[in-house]
Amino acid sequence: MDVPILTLDGPSGAGKGTVSRLIAKQLGWNYLDSGAIYRALALEITEKKILQDNISEIVKVALAMDLHFECGDDRLVKLNGKDVTNLLGLENTGNIASKIATISEVRAALLQKQRDFKQSSGLVADGRDMGTIVFPDAKYKVFLTASALTRAERRYKQLKQKGIDANLLKITADIQERDQRDSERQFAPLVPAVDAVYIDSSTMSIQSVVAEVLSLVH
Ligand code: DC
């Protein structure tokens, strides 16, 4: 099955999620939010009180978890039947996800779950290693980034809009720490695929990023 796949990799806060969703909608392709899979696993092990170094238990949970994504106007993610959409977005969930994502056995356990998102119409895959490891043969590959300060400011605005108390310096430091862990890990680190188109969205609007990515596909 020759399915068209567009991979969008990059650090957190570069706008991958928004851009990927808009593109998937416009093209009528399926959408894979791979970060949400790592985040769901982070939630599961936290709830089950499994320690982050208990690799065999984390792998068991990874293989057993039942994840369901609904991509209507409002995004909905169900984990073992329970709506976890809001919990997935918490900073702490992302930090735990980034830590367990350094474990090669965990990455291997989640590989098939991600590849199962391939559907005949097409797929937009958003993550860190979509173009390098999960879909190395993808036809279209993009590496979307933005400066750490730009990403922190976007996150800060999002939190403020939701009425959540936020500190820009702390968010910037967290983002830099997460970037470093994601980029320097031994297995499937965050690096652009050699054949990826590099886009720095620091001074671009979402619409212009979407237009640039779509121009690759058309
Ligand atoms: O994209 P995100 O912020 O939702 O991802 C949360 C964490 O999950 C990220 O810090 C690293 C990990 N992750 C990964 O290792 N590989 C992916 N393809 C996606 C996410």
Side-chain angles (χ1 to χ4, degrees):
M1 185 170 51
D2 191 19
V3 174
I5 298 179
L6 164 68
T7 59
L8 261 153
D9 289 307
S12 56
K16 285 172 296 148
T18 311
V19 169
S20 302
R21 268 189 284 273
L22 287 169
I23 289 178
K25 205 170 171 189
Q26 284 210 30
L27 296 174
W29 291 4
N30 200 19
Y31 167 54
L32 162 62
D33 175 0
S34 61
I37 298 182
Y38 285 91
R39 285 170 182 265
L41 182 57
L43 282 181
E44 269 287 83
I45 68 159
T46 307
E47 193 183 297
K48 292 190 151 79
K49 298 193 170 44
I50 297 170
L51 298 180
Q52 286 169 26
D53 59 0
N54 190 344
I55 297 176
S56 61
E57 277 305 307
I58 301 177
V59 166
K60 248 193 231 167
V61 172
L63 292 172
M65 70 179 175
D66 174 31
L67 262 179
H68 184 75
F69 290 81
E70 276 173 33
C71 278
D73 285 339
D74 285 320
R75 186 175 121 91
L76 178 78
V77 186
K78 281 187 176 171
L79 172 61
N80 300 328
K82 193 175 127 202
D83 179 358
V84 291
T85 319
N86 292 333
L87 291 175
L88 286 186
L90 298 177
E91 298 298 298
N92 191 40
T93 313
N95 284 330
I96 299 172
S98 164
K99 286 182 187 151
I100 55 177
T102 60
I103 307 168
S104 65
E105 292 88 339
V106 170
R107 306 198 69 85
L110 295 178
L111 206 50
Q112 195 54 45
K113 265 196 175 39
Q114 298 172 75
R115 291 190 174 142
D116 286 345
F117 277 76
K118 211 162 108 172
Q119 272 184 2
S120 52
S121 54
L123 175 68
V124 181
D126 152 4
R128 305 287 188 288
D129 60 342
M130 298 295 103
T132 49
I133 307 285
V134 183
F135 301 108
D137 299 328
K139 201 162 172 188
Y140 315 102
K141 296 184 185 181
V142 170
F143 191 84
L144 182 63
T145 189
S147 72
L149 185 60
T150 306
R151 290 183 283 128
E153 280 170 350
R154 287 178 187 164
R155 184 75 190 141
Y156 177 79
K157 272 192 206 151
Q158 269 175 1
L159 291 171
K160 282 279 172 188
Q161 270 167 7
K162 286 185 195 163
I164 299 171
D165 196 27
N167 174 314
L168 185 59
L169 279 181
K170 163 103 177 55
I171 295 174
T172 312
D174 278 356
I175 281 188
Q176 284 168 332
E177 188 189 323
R178 185 120 71 91
D179 281 358
Q180 192 174 3
R181 190 164 46 230
D182 292 350
S183 308
E184 293 179 359
R185 68 185 177 213
Q186 194 180 352
F187 309 105
L190 170 65
V191 284
V194 283
D195 47 351
V197 173
Y198 190 94
I199 302 177
D200 184 333
S201 74
S202 301
T203 58
M204 292 170 81
S205 67
I206 290 287
Q207 286 79 2
S208 46
V209 177
V210 169
E212 189 165 334
V213 177
L214 276 176
S215 72
L216 301 172
V217 178
H218 287 317

